[in-house]
Coordinates of all heavy atoms in Angstrom, one line a residue:
M1495 N 7.0 -3.4 -29.8 CA 6.5 -4.1 -28.6 C 7.6 -4.0 -27.5 O 8.7 -4.5 -27.7 CB 6.3 -5.6 -28.9 CG 5.3 -5.9 -30.0 SD 3.6 -5.3 -29.5 CE 3.1 -6.7 -28.5
S1496 N 7.4 -3.2 -26.5 CA 8.4 -3.0 -25.5 C 7.8 -3.2 -24.1 O 8.2 -2.5 -23.2 CB 9.0 -1.6 -25.7 OG 7.9 -0.6 -25.5
D1497 N 6.9 -4.1 -24.0 CA 6.2 -4.3 -22.7 C 7.3 -4.7 -21.6 O 7.2 -4.2 -20.5 CB 5.2 -5.4 -22.8 CG 4.0 -4.9 -23.5 OD1 3.8 -3.7 -23.7 OD2 3.2 -5.8 -24.0
I1498 N 8.2 -5.6 -21.9 CA 9.1 -6.0 -20.9 C 10.0 -4.9 -20.5 O 10.2 -4.6 -19.3 CB 10.0 -7.2 -21.5 CG1 9.1 -8.4 -21.7 CG2 11.1 -7.5 -20.5 CD1 9.8 -9.6 -22.4
D1499 N 10.5 -4.1 -21.4 CA 11.4 -3.0 -21.1 C 10.6 -2.0 -20.2 O 11.1 -1.5 -19.2 CB 11.9 -2.2 -22.3 CG 12.9 -3.1 -23.1 OD1 13.4 -4.0 -22.5 OD2 13.2 -2.8 -24.3
D1500 N 9.3 -1.7 -20.5 CA 8.6 -0.8 -19.7 C 8.4 -1.3 -18.3 O 8.5 -0.6 -17.4 CB 7.2 -0.6 -20.4 CG 7.3 0.3 -21.6 OD1 8.3 0.9 -21.8 OD2 6.3 0.3 -22.4
D1501 N 8.1 -2.6 -18.2 CA 8.0 -3.2 -16.8 C 9.2 -3.0 -16.0 O 9.2 -2.6 -14.8 CB 7.6 -4.7 -16.9 CG 6.2 -4.9 -17.4 OD1 5.4 -3.9 -17.4 OD2 5.8 -6.0 -17.7
E1502 N 10.3 -3.3 -16.6 CA 11.6 -3.2 -15.8 C 11.8 -1.7 -15.4 O 12.2 -1.4 -14.3 CB 12.8 -3.7 -16.7 CG 12.7 -5.2 -16.8 CD 13.9 -5.7 -17.6 OE1 14.6 -4.9 -18.2 OE2 14.0 -7.0 -17.6
F1503 N 11.5 -0.8 -16.4 CA 11.7 0.6 -16.1 C 10.8 1.0 -14.9 O 11.3 1.7 -14.0 CB 11.4 1.4 -17.3 CG 11.6 2.9 -17.1 CD1 12.8 3.5 -17.0 CD2 10.4 3.7 -17.0 CE1 13.0 4.9 -16.8 CE2 10.6 5.1 -16.8 CZ 11.8 5.7 -16.7
L1504 N 9.6 0.6 -15.0 CA 8.6 1.0 -13.9 C 9.1 0.4 -12.6 O 9.0 1.1 -11.5 CB 7.2 0.5 -14.2 CG 6.5 1.3 -15.4 CD1 5.2 0.7 -15.7 CD2 6.3 2.7 -14.9
L1505 N 9.5 -0.8 -12.5 CA 10.0 -1.4 -11.3 C 11.1 -0.6 -10.7 O 11.2 -0.3 -9.5 CB 10.5 -2.8 -11.5 CG 9.4 -3.9 -11.6 CD1 9.9 -5.2 -11.9 CD2 8.6 -4.0 -10.3
D1506 N 12.1 -0.2 -11.5 CA 13.2 0.6 -11.0 C 12.7 2.0 -10.5 O 13.2 2.5 -9.5 CB 14.2 0.9 -12.2 CG 15.0 -0.4 -12.5 OD1 15.0 -1.3 -11.6 OD2 15.6 -0.5 -13.5
E1507 N 11.7 2.5 -11.2 CA 11.2 3.8 -10.7 C 10.5 3.7 -9.4 O 10.6 4.5 -8.5 CB 10.3 4.4 -11.8 CG 11.0 5.0 -13.0 CD 11.8 6.2 -12.7 OE1 11.2 7.2 -12.3 OE2 13.1 6.1 -12.7
D1508 N 9.7 2.7 -9.3 CA 8.8 2.5 -8.1 C 9.6 2.0 -6.9 O 9.3 2.3 -5.7 CB 7.7 1.6 -8.4 CG 6.7 2.2 -9.3 OD1 6.7 3.4 -9.5 OD2 5.8 1.4 -9.8
F1509 N 10.7 1.2 -7.1 CA 11.4 0.6 -6.0 C 12.9 0.8 -6.1 O 13.6 -0.2 -6.4 CB 11.0 -0.9 -5.9 CG 9.5 -1.2 -5.8 CD1 8.8 -1.6 -6.8 CD2 8.9 -0.9 -4.5 CE1 7.4 -1.9 -6.6 CE2 7.6 -1.2 -4.4 CZ 6.8 -1.6 -5.4
P1510 N 13.3 2.0 -6.0 CA 14.8 2.2 -6.0 C 15.4 1.5 -4.9 O 14.8 1.2 -3.8 CB 14.9 3.7 -5.9 CG 13.7 4.1 -5.2 CD 12.6 3.2 -5.7
L1511 N 16.7 1.2 -5.0 CA 17.5 0.5 -4.0 C 17.3 1.3 -2.7 O 17.5 2.5 -2.6 CB 18.9 0.4 -4.4 CG 19.8 -0.2 -3.3 CD1 19.5 -1.7 -3.1 CD2 21.3 -0.1 -3.8
G1512 N 17.0 0.5 -1.6 CA 16.9 1.2 -0.3 C 15.5 1.6 0.0 O 15.3 2.1 1.1
D1513 N 14.6 1.5 -0.9 CA 13.2 1.9 -0.6 C 12.2 0.9 -1.1 O 11.3 1.3 -1.8 CB 13.0 3.3 -1.2 CG 11.7 3.9 -0.7 OD1 11.2 3.5 0.4 OD2 11.2 4.8 -1.4
G1514 N 12.4 -0.3 -0.7 CA 11.3 -1.3 -1.1 C 11.8 -2.6 -1.7 O 11.4 -3.6 -1.3
V1515 N 12.9 -2.5 -2.5 CA 13.3 -3.7 -3.2 C 14.4 -4.4 -2.4 O 14.6 -5.6 -2.5 CB 13.8 -3.4 -4.6 CG1 15.2 -2.7 -4.6 CG2 13.9 -4.7 -5.4
A1516 N 15.1 -3.7 -1.5 CA 16.2 -4.3 -0.8 C 15.7 -5.2 0.4 O 14.6 -4.9 0.9 CB 17.1 -3.2 -0.3
D1517 N 16.4 -6.1 0.8 CA 16.0 -7.0 1.9 C 15.8 -6.2 3.1 O 16.6 -5.3 3.5 CB 17.1 -8.0 2.1 CG 17.2 -9.1 1.0 OD1 16.3 -9.2 0.2 OD2 18.2 -9.8 1.0
M1518 N 14.7 -6.5 3.8 CA 14.4 -5.9 5.1 C 14.6 -6.8 6.3 O 14.5 -6.4 7.4 CB 13.0 -5.4 5.1 CG 12.7 -4.3 4.0 SD 13.6 -2.8 4.3 CE 12.7 -2.1 5.7
D1519 N 14.8 -8.1 6.0 CA 15.1 -9.0 7.1 C 15.8 -10.2 6.5 O 15.9 -10.4 5.3 CB 13.8 -9.5 7.8 CG 12.7 -9.9 6.8 OD1 13.1 -10.8 5.9 OD2 11.6 -9.5 6.8
T1520 N 16.5 -10.9 7.3 CA 17.3 -12.0 6.8 C 17.5 -13.0 8.0 O 17.3 -12.7 9.1 CB 18.7 -11.5 6.4 OG1 19.4 -12.5 5.7 CG2 19.5 -11.0 7.5
L1521 N 17.8 -14.3 7.6 CA 18.0 -15.3 8.6 C 19.5 -15.4 8.9 O 20.3 -15.4 8.0 CB 17.5 -16.7 8.0 CG 16.0 -16.9 8.0 CD1 15.7 -18.2 7.3 CD2 15.4 -16.9 9.4
V1522 N 19.7 -15.5 10.2 CA 21.1 -15.7 10.7 C 21.2 -16.8 11.7 O 20.2 -17.2 12.2 CB 21.6 -14.4 11.3 CG1 21.6 -13.2 10.3 CG2 20.8 -14.0 12.6
I1523 N 22.4 -17.3 11.9 CA 22.6 -18.4 12.9 C 23.4 -17.7 14.0 O 24.5 -17.2 13.8 CB 23.4 -19.5 12.3 CG1 22.7 -20.1 11.1 CG2 23.6 -20.6 13.4 CD1 21.4 -20.8 11.4
C1524 N 22.8 -17.8 15.2 CA 23.5 -17.2 16.4 C 24.8 -18.0 16.6 O 24.8 -19.2 16.7 CB 22.6 -17.3 17.6 SG 23.4 -16.7 19.1
P1525 N 25.9 -17.2 16.7 CA 27.2 -17.9 17.0 C 27.4 -18.4 18.4 O 28.3 -19.1 18.7 CB 28.2 -16.8 16.7 CG 27.5 -15.5 16.9 CD 26.1 -15.8 16.5
Y1526 N 26.4 -18.0 19.3 CA 26.5 -18.5 20.7 C 25.6 -19.7 20.9 O 26.1 -20.7 21.4 CB 26.0 -17.4 21.6 CG 26.9 -16.2 21.7 CD1 26.7 -15.1 20.8 CD2 28.0 -16.1 22.5 CE1 27.5 -13.9 20.9 CE2 28.9 -15.0 22.5 CZ 28.6 -13.9 21.7 OH 29.4 -12.8 21.7
C1527 N 24.3 -19.6 20.5 CA 23.4 -20.7 20.9 C 23.1 -21.6 19.7 O 22.5 -22.6 19.8 CB 22.1 -20.1 21.5 SG 21.1 -19.2 20.4
G1528 N 23.4 -21.1 18.4 CA 23.2 -21.9 17.2 C 21.8 -21.9 16.7 O 21.5 -22.6 15.8
E1529 N 21.0 -21.0 17.3 CA 19.6 -21.0 16.8 C 19.5 -20.1 15.5 O 20.3 -19.2 15.4 CB 18.7 -20.3 17.9 CG 18.5 -21.1 19.1 CD 17.6 -22.4 18.8 OE1 16.6 -22.2 18.0 OE2 17.8 -23.4 19.4
E1530 N 18.6 -20.5 14.7 CA 18.3 -19.7 13.5 C 17.3 -18.6 13.8 O 16.3 -18.9 14.3 CB 17.8 -20.6 12.3 CG 17.7 -19.9 11.0 CD 17.3 -20.9 9.9 OE1 16.1 -21.4 9.9 OE2 18.1 -21.1 9.0
V1531 N 17.7 -17.4 13.5 CA 16.9 -16.3 13.9 C 16.7 -15.3 12.8 O 17.6 -15.1 12.0 CB 17.6 -15.5 15.1 CG1 16.7 -14.3 15.6 CG2 17.9 -16.4 16.2
E1532 N 15.5 -14.8 12.6 CA 15.2 -13.8 11.6 C 15.4 -12.4 12.2 O 14.8 -12.1 13.2 CB 13.8 -13.9 11.0 CG 13.6 -13.0 9.8 CD 12.3 -13.2 9.2 OE1 11.2 -12.8 9.7 OE2 12.2 -13.9 8.1
I1533 N 16.3 -11.6 11.6 CA 16.5 -10.3 12.1 C 16.1 -9.2 11.1 O 16.2 -9.5 9.9 CB 18.0 -10.0 12.6 CG1 19.0 -10.2 11.4 CG2 18.4 -11.0 13.7 CD1 20.4 -9.7 11.7
G1534 N 15.7 -8.1 11.6 CA 15.4 -7.0 10.7 C 16.7 -6.2 10.3 O 17.6 -6.1 11.1
V1535 N 16.8 -5.8 9.1 CA 17.9 -5.0 8.6 C 17.4 -3.8 7.9 O 16.3 -3.8 7.4 CB 18.9 -5.9 7.7 CG1 19.5 -7.0 8.5 CG2 18.1 -6.4 6.5
D1536 N 18.2 -2.8 7.8 CA 17.8 -1.5 7.3 C 18.6 -1.1 6.1 O 19.8 -0.6 6.3 CB 17.9 -0.4 8.4 CG 17.5 0.9 7.9 OD1 16.9 1.0 6.8 OD2 17.8 1.9 8.6
P1537 N 18.1 -1.2 4.9 CA 18.8 -0.8 3.7 C 19.1 0.7 3.7 O 20.1 1.1 3.0 CB 17.9 -1.3 2.5 CG 16.6 -1.3 3.1 CD 16.7 -1.8 4.6
G1538 N 18.4 1.4 4.4 CA 18.6 2.9 4.5 C 19.9 3.3 5.2 O 20.3 4.4 5.2
G1539 N 20.5 2.3 5.9 CA 21.7 2.6 6.7 C 22.9 2.5 5.9 O 24.0 2.7 6.5
G1540 N 22.8 2.2 4.6 CA 24.0 2.2 3.8 C 24.4 0.8 3.3 O 23.8 -0.2 3.8
S1541 N 25.3 0.7 2.4 CA 25.6 -0.6 1.8 C 26.5 -1.5 2.7 O 26.5 -2.7 2.5 CB 26.2 -0.4 0.4 OG 27.4 0.3 0.5
D1542 N 27.2 -0.8 3.6 CA 28.0 -1.5 4.5 C 27.7 -1.0 5.9 O 27.8 0.2 6.2 CB 29.5 -1.4 4.2 CG 29.9 -2.1 3.0 OD1 30.0 -3.4 3.1 OD2 30.1 -1.5 1.9
Q1543 N 27.3 -1.9 6.8 CA 27.0 -1.5 8.2 C 27.6 -2.5 9.2 O 27.8 -3.7 8.8 CB 25.5 -1.5 8.4 CG 24.7 -0.6 7.4 CD 23.2 -0.8 7.5 OE1 22.7 -1.0 8.6 NE2 22.5 -0.8 6.4
S1544 N 27.8 -2.0 10.4 CA 28.2 -2.9 11.4 C 27.7 -2.3 12.8 O 27.7 -1.1 12.9 CB 29.7 -3.1 11.5 OG 30.4 -1.9 11.8
Y1545 N 27.2 -3.2 13.6 CA 26.6 -2.8 14.9 C 26.5 -4.0 15.8 O 26.6 -5.1 15.4 CB 25.3 -2.1 14.7 CG 24.3 -2.9 13.9 CD1 23.4 -3.8 14.5 CD2 24.1 -2.8 12.5 CE1 22.5 -4.6 13.8 CE2 23.2 -3.5 11.8 CZ 22.4 -4.4 12.5 OH 21.5 -5.2 11.8
I1546 N 26.2 -3.7 17.0 CA 26.0 -4.7 18.0 C 24.5 -4.9 18.2 O 23.7 -4.0 18.3 CB 26.6 -4.3 19.4 CG1 28.1 -3.9 19.3 CG2 26.4 -5.4 20.5 CD1 29.0 -5.1 19.0
E1547 N 24.1 -6.2 18.2 CA 22.7 -6.5 18.4 C 22.6 -7.8 19.3 O 23.4 -8.7 19.1 CB 22.0 -6.8 17.1 CG 20.5 -7.1 17.3 CD 19.7 -6.9 16.0 OE1 20.0 -6.0 15.2 OE2 18.8 -7.7 15.7
D1548 N 21.7 -7.8 20.2 CA 21.6 -9.0 21.1 C 20.7 -10.1 20.5 O 19.7 -9.8 19.9 CB 20.9 -8.6 22.5 CG 21.8 -7.7 23.3 OD1 23.0 -7.6 23.0 OD2 21.2 -7.0 24.2
C1549 N 21.2 -11.3 20.7 CA 20.4 -12.4 20.2 C 19.1 -12.5 20.9 O 19.0 -12.4 22.2 CB 21.2 -13.7 20.5 SG 20.3 -15.2 20.1
P1550 N 17.9 -12.6 20.2 CA 16.6 -12.6 20.9 C 16.4 -14.0 21.6 O 15.5 -14.1 22.4 CB 15.6 -12.4 19.7 CG 16.4 -12.9 18.5 CD 17.8 -12.6 18.7
V1551 N 17.2 -15.0 21.3 CA 17.0 -16.3 22.0 C 17.9 -16.3 23.3 O 17.3 -16.7 24.3 CB 17.4 -17.4 21.0 CG1 17.3 -18.8 21.7 CG2 16.6 -17.4 19.8
C1552 N 19.2 -16.0 23.2 CA 20.0 -16.2 24.3 C 20.6 -14.9 24.9 O 21.3 -14.9 25.9 CB 21.2 -17.2 24.0 SG 22.4 -16.5 22.8
C1553 N 20.2 -13.8 24.2 CA 20.6 -12.4 24.7 C 22.1 -12.1 24.7 O 22.5 -11.2 25.3 CB 20.0 -12.2 26.1 SG 18.2 -12.3 26.2
S1554 N 22.8 -13.0 24.0 CA 24.2 -12.7 23.8 C 24.5 -11.6 22.8 O 23.7 -11.5 21.8 CB 25.0 -13.9 23.5 OG 24.9 -14.9 24.5
P1555 N 25.5 -10.8 22.9 CA 25.7 -9.7 22.0 C 26.4 -10.2 20.7 O 27.5 -10.7 20.8 CB 26.5 -8.7 22.8 CG 27.3 -9.5 23.7 CD 26.4 -10.7 24.1
W1556 N 25.8 -9.9 19.6 CA 26.5 -10.2 18.3 C 27.2 -9.0 17.7 O 26.7 -7.8 17.9 CB 25.4 -10.5 17.2 CG 24.5 -11.7 17.4 CD1 24.8 -12.8 18.2 CD2 23.2 -11.9 16.9 NE1 23.7 -13.7 18.1 CE2 22.7 -13.1 17.4 CE3 22.4 -11.1 16.1 CZ2 21.5 -13.6 17.0 CZ3 21.1 -11.5 15.8 CH2 20.7 -12.8 16.2
M1557 N 28.3 -9.2 17.1 CA 28.8 -8.1 16.2 C 28.3 -8.4 14.8 O 28.6 -9.4 14.2 CB 30.4 -8.2 16.2 CG 31.0 -7.2 15.4 SD 30.9 -5.6 16.1 CE 30.9 -4.5 14.7
V1558 N 27.3 -7.6 14.3 CA 26.7 -7.8 13.1 C 27.3 -6.9 12.0 O 27.6 -5.7 12.2 CB 25.2 -7.4 13.2 CG1 24.5 -7.6 11.9 CG2 24.5 -8.1 14.3
R1559 N 27.7 -7.6 10.9 CA 28.2 -6.8 9.7 C 27.3 -7.1 8.5 O 27.0 -8.3 8.2 CB 29.6 -7.3 9.4 CG 30.6 -6.8 10.4 CD 32.0 -7.1 10.0 NE 33.0 -6.7 11.0 CZ 33.4 -7.4 12.0 NH1 32.9 -8.6 12.2 NH2 34.3 -7.0 12.9
L1560 N 26.8 -6.1 7.9 CA 25.9 -6.2 6.8 C 26.6 -5.7 5.5 O 27.3 -4.7 5.6 CB 24.6 -5.3 6.9 CG 23.7 -5.5 8.1 CD1 22.5 -4.6 8.0 CD2 23.3 -6.9 8.3
H1561 N 26.3 -6.3 4.4 CA 26.7 -5.8 3.1 C 25.6 -6.0 2.1 O 25.1 -7.1 1.9 CB 28.0 -6.5 2.6 CG 28.4 -6.0 1.3 ND1 28.9 -4.7 1.0 CD2 28.4 -6.6 0.0 CE1 29.1 -4.6 -0.3 NE2 28.8 -5.7 -0.9
Y1562 N 25.2 -4.9 1.6 CA 24.1 -4.9 0.6 C 24.8 -5.0 -0.8 O 25.7 -4.2 -1.1 CB 23.2 -3.7 0.6 CG 22.1 -3.8 1.6 CD1 22.2 -3.3 2.9 CD2 20.9 -4.5 1.2 CE1 21.2 -3.5 3.8 CE2 19.9 -4.6 2.1 CZ 20.0 -4.1 3.4 OH 19.0 -4.3 4.3
S1563 N 24.3 -5.9 -1.6 CA 24.7 -6.1 -3.0 C 23.5 -6.2 -3.9 O 22.9 -7.2 -4.0 CB 25.6 -7.3 -3.1 OG 26.0 -7.6 -4.4
G1564 N 23.2 -5.1 -4.6 CA 22.0 -5.1 -5.5 C 20.7 -5.4 -4.8 O 19.9 -6.1 -5.4
G1565 N 20.6 -5.0 -3.6 CA 19.3 -5.2 -2.8 C 19.3 -6.5 -2.0 O 18.4 -6.7 -1.2
T1566 N 20.3 -7.3 -2.2 CA 20.4 -8.6 -1.4 C 21.4 -8.3 -0.3 O 22.5 -7.8 -0.5 CB 20.9 -9.7 -2.3 OG1 19.9 -9.9 -3.3 CG2 21.0 -11.0 -1.4
V1567 N 21.0 -8.6 0.9 CA 21.9 -8.4 2.1 C 22.7 -9.7 2.4 O 22.2 -10.8 2.4 CB 21.1 -7.9 3.3 CG1 20.2 -9.0 3.9 CG2 22.0 -7.3 4.3
E1568 N 23.9 -9.5 2.7 CA 24.8 -10.5 3.2 C 25.1 -10.1 4.7 O 25.6 -9.0 4.9 CB 26.1 -10.7 2.4 CG 25.8 -11.1 1.0 CD 27.1 -11.0 0.2 OE1 28.2 -11.0 0.7 OE2 27.0 -10.9 -1.1
V1569 N 24.9 -11.0 5.6 CA 25.1 -10.7 7.0 C 26.2 -11.7 7.5 O 26.1 -12.9 7.3 CB 23.8 -10.9 7.8 CG1 24.1 -10.6 9.3 CG2 22.7 -10.0 7.2
T1570 N 27.1 -11.1 8.3 CA 28.1 -11.9 9.0 C 28.0 -11.6 10.5 O 28.0 -10.5 10.9 CB 29.5 -11.6 8.5 OG1 29.6 -11.8 7.1 CG2 30.5 -12.5 9.2
L1571 N 27.8 -12.7 11.3 CA 27.8 -12.5 12.7 C 29.1 -13.0 13.3 O 29.6 -14.0 12.9 CB 26.6 -13.3 13.3 CG 25.2 -12.9 13.0 CD1 24.3 -13.7 13.9 CD2 25.0 -11.5 13.2
A1572 N 29.5 -12.3 14.4 CA 30.7 -12.7 15.1 C 30.4 -12.5 16.6 O 29.6 -11.7 17.0 CB 31.9 -11.9 14.7
Q1573 N 31.1 -13.3 17.4 CA 31.0 -13.0 18.9 C 31.7 -11.8 19.2 O 32.8 -11.5 18.7 CB 31.5 -14.2 19.6 CG 30.8 -15.5 19.4 CD 31.3 -16.7 20.2 OE1 32.0 -16.5 21.2 NE2 30.9 -17.9 19.8
T1574 N 31.2 -11.0 20.0 CA 31.9 -9.8 20.5 C 32.9 -10.2 21.5 O 32.8 -11.3 22.1 CB 30.9 -8.8 21.2 OG1 30.2 -9.5 22.2 CG2 29.9 -8.2 20.2
E1575 N 33.9 -9.4 21.6 CA 35.0 -9.7 22.6 C 34.5 -9.7 24.0 O 33.7 -8.8 24.4 CB 36.1 -8.7 22.5 CG 36.8 -8.7 21.1 CD 37.5 -10.0 20.8 OE1 38.0 -10.6 21.8 OE2 37.6 -10.3 19.6
A1576 N 34.8 -10.7 24.8 CA 34.3 -10.8 26.1 C 35.0 -9.8 27.0 O 36.1 -9.4 26.8 CB 34.6 -12.2 26.7
Ligands
ZN3024 ZN1 21.7 -16.9 20.7

């Protein structure tokens, strides 16, 4: 009886990291206005990413840093230098 093993194997085959199982969006708190915002993230961009993105609420520029760990994304926002 190896049903469980087969299921896990199939999940890995069908949803490799970066193509379905990894987080595609996440909640963040804007460091400027304090609003909770859901942002889209791209696991295809690599396990560590950083870029500038504007807050959809107050339009202030965030310094976004992403780290993927086993399909779960950790996001750190910082204020960009004025
Ligand atoms: Zn904001």
Side-chain angles (χ1 to χ4, degrees):
M1495 302 297 277
S1496 61
D1497 287 342
I1498 293 175
D1499 288 343
D1500 286 345
D1501 286 347
E1502 288 180 350
F1503 179 74
L1504 287 173
L1505 281 175
D1506 287 341
E1507 285 294 293
D1508 289 346
F1509 301 107
L1511 178 65
D1513 190 24
V1515 74
D1517 288 344
M1518 297 295 287
D1519 50 54
T1520 190
L1521 285 174
V1522 298
I1523 305 291
C1524 175
Y1526 294 94
C1527 67
E1529 290 290 323
E1530 189 175 65
V1531 182
E1532 187 173 77
I1533 62 170
V1535 293
D1536 179 14
S1541 59
D1542 288 286
Q1543 303 173 40
S1544 61
Y1545 53 87
I1546 305 291
E1547 181 163 324
D1548 291 343
C1549 176
V1551 177
C1552 68
C1553 298
S1554 297
W1556 301 330
M1557 183 69 211
V1558 183
R1559 291 187 180 85
L1560 303 184
H1561 176 68
Y1562 274 96
S1563 175
T1566 299
V1567 69
E1568 298 172 19
V1569 179
T1570 303
L1571 292 189
Q1573 297 185 15
T1574 55
E1575 297 297 329

